[in-house]
């Protein structure tokens, strides 16, 4: 069996935090995690363990571990975060410690900004937009164009300028323990860069003020929004660990309906697209969200890339895409899925394998409420594969692919073209995951 991760195993070693040193030195000081095997580990300089998923491949993932004092920052406002991130093309290693909650919808002075502020001066108004593109008069065969669509795009661009945070290569972005650290209303964009770590942060209320109506999306059209809480586009060697993703406090059940479709202001929680590669997603909590994790932006995304490991995460109150996988080699293990409806989020499926994706799903645990069916835990287009083993449904070993295929006209394939080897921390049984992951995942656990 592979050796356990050096980061932490709540079952196999005691983790102690030297909080006195932090209190004496102040909030920006290092937080040291002690364990019986490895001595002191500085949270802010911590790197991904060897063989811990795809992000450990090759050069591994070290983030900003080599940052000097001049490139080590503690930030608590949007303006400070933007300054600390600097240019997305600057590859100098940096560590950015987020102290408390940063509201992305604020100006440089810290003043709260609203959707009306972004719309101001663009000519956009929702009432005018709805009138201009009502399917009864505009039709359903083409995307909106003209004055109001131009105004909507301009207003959206104003919001994007404020809420999109572009992360450069060789960066560690980490929440200061004990401060409820996180970003609300923002999108962390990791695009065409290598070697990034994102840890111990709560990402909440990532909302698009200006969704676009697309009458050609599906049979009845859809409202599409623009921001993921964290988005990887052409990124490599990324480790997302111990974060919490949620729509709170505004749940989808509160969204209005226009043109007979939900006015959706949320997009993805953590999307991995545009040829991103070598990613490890571990010990996170995904909750109260619809389209949660997209791997591969289309059926023609990059072949030979999109290699992602997803382990020891909690998925609760998730409608779909946990994940939706295309093309790549995806290892999904030791995750806990609670598919009980939560705050109006009624699950459709957990894992979708399509566009020839090669998914290995092992030793995961699903909690199904009364009346729910194991046949609906998976999904696919008939070209994707899921090789499953050791997966439990309400404590019973279940062949999820067989259950799905028995009820579907588009069978999932059961063989894959690769064998996972980067499996540090892999547990051979899923039976204890509902208990152990309840207290060991998400933001605020690392101290």
């Amino acid at each position: 069996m592979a050796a356990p991760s050096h980061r932490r195993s709540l079952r196999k070693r005691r983790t102690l935090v030297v909080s006195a040193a932090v209190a004496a030195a102040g909030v920006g000081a290092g937080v040291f995690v002690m364990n019986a095997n490895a001595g002191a580990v500085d949270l802010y300089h911590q790197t991904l363990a060897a063989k811990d998923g795809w992000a450990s491949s090759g050069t591994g993932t070290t983030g900003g571990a080599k940052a000097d004092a001049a490139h080590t920052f503690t930030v608590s406002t949007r303006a400070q975060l933007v300054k600390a991130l600097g240019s997305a093309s600057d590859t100098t290693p940096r560590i950015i410690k987020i102290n408390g909650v940063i509201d992305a919808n604020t100006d440089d002075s810290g003043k709260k900004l609203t959707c009306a502020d972004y719309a101001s001066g663009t000519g956009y108004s929702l009432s005018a937009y709805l009138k201009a593109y009502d399917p009864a008069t505009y039709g359903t065969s083409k995307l909106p164009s003209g004055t109001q669509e131009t105004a909507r795009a301009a207003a959206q661009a104003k919001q994007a300028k404020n809420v999109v945070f572009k992360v450069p290569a060789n960066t560690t972005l980490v929440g200061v323990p004990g401060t409820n650290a996180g970003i609300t209303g923002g999108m962390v964009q990791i695009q065409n860069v290598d070697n990034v770590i994102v840890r111990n942060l709560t990402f909440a209320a990532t909302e698009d003020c200006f969704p676009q109506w697309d009458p050609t999306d599906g049979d009845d059209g859809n409202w599409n929004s623009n921001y993921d809480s964290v988005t990887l586009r052409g990124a490599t060697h990324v480790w997302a660990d111990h974060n919490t993703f949620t729509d709170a406090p505004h749940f989808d059940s509160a969204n209005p309906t226009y043109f007979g479709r939900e006015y959706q202001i949320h997009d993805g929680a953590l999307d991995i697209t545009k040829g991103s590669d070598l990613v490890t997603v571990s010990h996170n909590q995904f909750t109260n969200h619809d389209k949660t994790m997209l791997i591969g932006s289309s059926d023609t995304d990059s072949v030979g890339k999109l290699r992602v490991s997803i382990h020891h995460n909690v998925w609760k109150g998730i409608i779909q895409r946990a994940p939706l996988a295309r093309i790549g080699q995806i290892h999904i293990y030791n995750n806990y899925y609670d598919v009980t409806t939560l705050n109006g989020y009624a699950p459709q499926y957990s894992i979708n394998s399509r566009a020839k994706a090669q998914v290995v799903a092992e030793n995961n645990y699903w909690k199904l409420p009364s009346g729910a069916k194991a046949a609906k835990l998976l999904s696919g287009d008939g070209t994707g594969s899921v090789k499953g083993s050791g997966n439990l449904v309400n404590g019973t070993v279940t062949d999820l692919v067989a259950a799905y295929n028995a009820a579907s006209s588009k069978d999932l394939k059961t063989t894959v073209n690769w064998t996972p080897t980067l499996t540090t921390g892999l547990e051979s049984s899923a039976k204890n995951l509902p208990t152990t992951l309840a207290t060991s995942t998400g933001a605020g656990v690392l101290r």
Side-chain angles (χ1 to χ4, degrees):
M1 179 179 291
S5 166
H6 75 279
R7 291 192 309 280
R8 163 216 60 263
S9 171
L10 296 182
R11 293 167 300 284
K12 297 180 179 179
R13 66 174 65 83
R14 232 181 326 173
T15 300
L16 302 173
V17 177
V18 186
S19 56
V22 177
V27 116
V31 175
F32 292 93
V33 180
M34 301 291 294
N35 69 60
N37 296 331
V41 179
D42 178 353
L43 174 64
Y44 302 125
H45 293 83
Q46 195 169 3
T47 61
L48 181 63
K51 297 187 177 181
D52 189 347
W54 275 117
S56 67
S57 181
T59 56
T61 302
T62 60
K66 295 182 179 179
D68 58 20
H71 293 89
T72 300
F73 310 90
T74 299
V75 301
S76 57
T77 68
R78 174 194 158 275
Q80 290 171 350
L81 176 57
V82 170
K83 184 177 180 180
L85 287 168
S87 169
S89 62
D90 184 353
T91 61
T92 306
R94 70 193 62 222
I95 295 171
I96 303 175
K97 310 171 188 180
I98 294 183
N99 177 28
V101 178
I102 290 178
D103 187 345
N105 289 295
T106 52
D107 65 15
D108 288 347
S109 68
K111 176 187 174 183
K112 178 67 179 176
L113 297 176
T114 67
C115 295
D117 291 315
Y118 298 128
S120 179
T122 66
Y124 171 86
S125 76
L126 178 58
S127 60
Y129 190 88
L130 294 174
K131 182 178 180 180
Y133 304 112
D134 187 333
T137 53
Y138 184 78
T140 60
S141 62
K142 60 182 179 179
L143 282 168
S145 63
T147 301
Q148 269 302 301
E149 172 58 21
T150 299
R152 184 204 65 81
Q156 190 177 67
K158 285 180 67 176
Q159 185 181 14
K161 186 176 180 180
N162 247 67
V163 305
V164 176
F165 301 105
K166 298 179 180 180
V167 180
N170 306 316
T171 294
T172 292
L173 193 65
V174 60
V176 175
T179 69
N180 296 315
I183 297 174
T184 182
M187 179 170 86
V188 171
Q189 179 176 297
I190 307 169
Q191 181 168 335
N192 299 328
V193 298
D194 180 69
N195 193 30
V196 173
I197 295 172
V198 180
R199 303 184 76 195
N200 204 39
L201 293 166
T202 294
F203 296 95
T206 303
E207 300 170 3
D208 187 347
C209 286
F210 311 103
Q212 182 187 40
W213 170 244
D214 182 354
T216 70
D217 184 355
D219 295 335
D220 302 308
N222 272 305
W223 290 96
N224 294 315
S225 54
N226 201 41
Y227 310 114
D228 309 320
S229 292
V230 177
T231 188
L232 279 58
R233 302 172 183 174
T236 53
H237 289 111
V238 178
W239 179 29
D241 176 73
H242 276 101
N243 303 294
T244 296
F245 298 83
T246 177
D247 288 349
H250 180 105
F251 300 133
D252 281 353
S253 57
N255 290 341
T257 298
Y258 301 119
F259 306 151
R261 302 296 290 166
E262 179 185 343
Y263 189 67
Q264 180 57 266
I265 61 175
H266 302 118
D267 196 9
L270 171 57
D271 282 4
I272 303 165
T273 62
K274 307 287 186 182
S276 293
D277 198 21
L278 306 177
V279 178
T280 296
V281 180
S282 59
H283 302 94
N284 301 282
Q285 288 195 7
F286 298 91
T287 185
N288 296 309
H289 196 79
D290 183 356
K291 297 177 287 186
T292 306
M293 181 184 293
L294 181 64
I295 301 175
S297 53
S298 73
D299 290 355
T300 57
D301 209 318
S302 303
V303 174
K305 297 184 178 181
L306 299 170
R307 291 174 290 182
V308 182
S309 297
I310 302 168
H311 71 82
H312 293 93
N313 302 283
V314 171
W315 312 76
K316 186 174 183 179
I318 297 304
I319 293 181
Q320 59 180 316
R321 300 186 182 180
L324 184 156
R326 292 182 170 108
I327 299 170
Q329 297 175 340
I330 295 93
H331 193 197
I332 304 171
Y333 61 95
N334 295 153
N335 297 279
Y336 173 53
Y337 295 85
D338 183 344
V339 295
T340 306
T341 297
L342 178 66
N343 293 318
Y345 293 90
Q348 295 176 3
Y349 67 83
S350 297
I351 300 170
N352 184 313
S353 180
R354 59 193 308 107
K356 300 181 179 180
Q358 302 284 301
V359 175
V360 176
E362 57 182 326
N363 304 338
N364 301 287
Y365 192 109
W366 273 266
K367 177 185 177 182
L368 264 65
S370 177
K373 297 180 179 180
K376 294 189 175 182
L377 298 179
L378 302 183
S379 184
D381 66 350
T383 71
S385 300
V386 176
K387 180 181 180 180
S389 64
N391 295 303
L392 304 184
V393 176
N394 291 342
T396 300
V397 176
T398 304
D399 187 337
L400 299 178
V401 176
Y404 170 80
N405 286 349
S408 172
S409 61
K410 295 182 178 180
D411 284 2
L412 284 164
K413 301 179 187 303
T414 57
T415 59
V416 297
N417 59 11
W418 70 294
T419 300
T421 59
L422 304 172
T423 57
T424 288
L426 173 63
E427 299 177 60
S428 59
S429 173
K431 66 179 181 179
N432 293 323
L433 294 176
T435 300
T436 59
L437 296 187
T439 56
S440 64
T441 57
V445 172
L446 298 175
R447 294 192 176 276

